[in-house]
Amino acid sequence: MPGTAQPTIGSNTRLPGNSWWSRLPVPALVVWMLGAAFFFRQPLFTGFDSITGDSGDARLIIYLHEHWVQVLQANASWRDPAFFFPARGVFGYSDTFVLNEVFYAPLRLIGLDQFVAYEWTLVLLTLVGCLGA
């Protein structure tokens, strides 16, 4: 139409249907779902009766996640996980996994046990990685 300005590429004018939701990479999410179902097939298809990864490492990671849940509930000092008792102020002796608590702590607070919450934390972190890529 003569006299009306048409939005150009790079302009700040929002086109109809151009929201963030309409630009989600649906094929990438489908690929993620298939990849997650394959990679996490053992825990997913056994009802979360197994833990992903080396059992010794996974148990330490779950213990440290639980330590943060206890810290968030004001039941423990963040610097003193009981794993290193009687040493105090030694949280730096191991990994901390603070950012994982974004998923892990709410999953624990809604009632999942520590092993299922750990597995779902891993699954959700892969989703964040997929969406970030």
Side-chain angles (χ1 to χ4, degrees):
M1 265 186 129
T4 61
Q6 295 293 321
T8 59
I9 295 176
S11 72
N12 289 333
T13 306
R14 300 203 94 178
L15 298 174
N18 197 19
S19 68
W20 69 272
W21 181 255
S22 65
R23 292 177 293 178
L24 264 180
V26 174
L29 289 176
V30 170
V31 169
W32 169 80
M33 287 173 44
L34 293 172
F38 177 76
F39 184 78
F40 295 106
R41 68 187 177 277
Q42 186 175 3
L44 286 173
F45 298 125
T46 62
F48 294 97
D49 283 341
S50 63
I51 300 173
T52 300
D54 177 66
S55 63
D57 289 339
R59 284 183 284 183
L60 175 62
I61 292 168
I62 292 168
Y63 178 84
L64 294 170
H65 281 77
E66 278 300 302
H67 173 71
W68 276 112
V69 170
Q70 295 300 312
V71 169
L72 292 172
Q73 294 175 342
N75 294 330
S77 167
W78 70 273
R79 295 182 59 206
D80 301 319
F83 187 85
F84 297 109
F85 184 80
R88 307 206 36 83
V90 292
F91 197 63
Y93 286 3
S94 186
D95 299 320
T96 58
F97 301 106
V98 176
L99 291 177
N100 290 6
E101 295 307 309
V102 170
F103 295 117
Y104 185 82
L107 292 171
R108 288 290 288 136
L109 293 175
I110 64 171
L112 295 180
D113 79 349
Q114 63 263 27
F115 301 105
V116 176
Y118 167 71
E119 286 297 330
W120 276 111
T121 298
L122 295 179
V123 172
L124 293 171
L125 285 171
T126 64
L127 175 61
V128 170
C130 178
L131 292 176

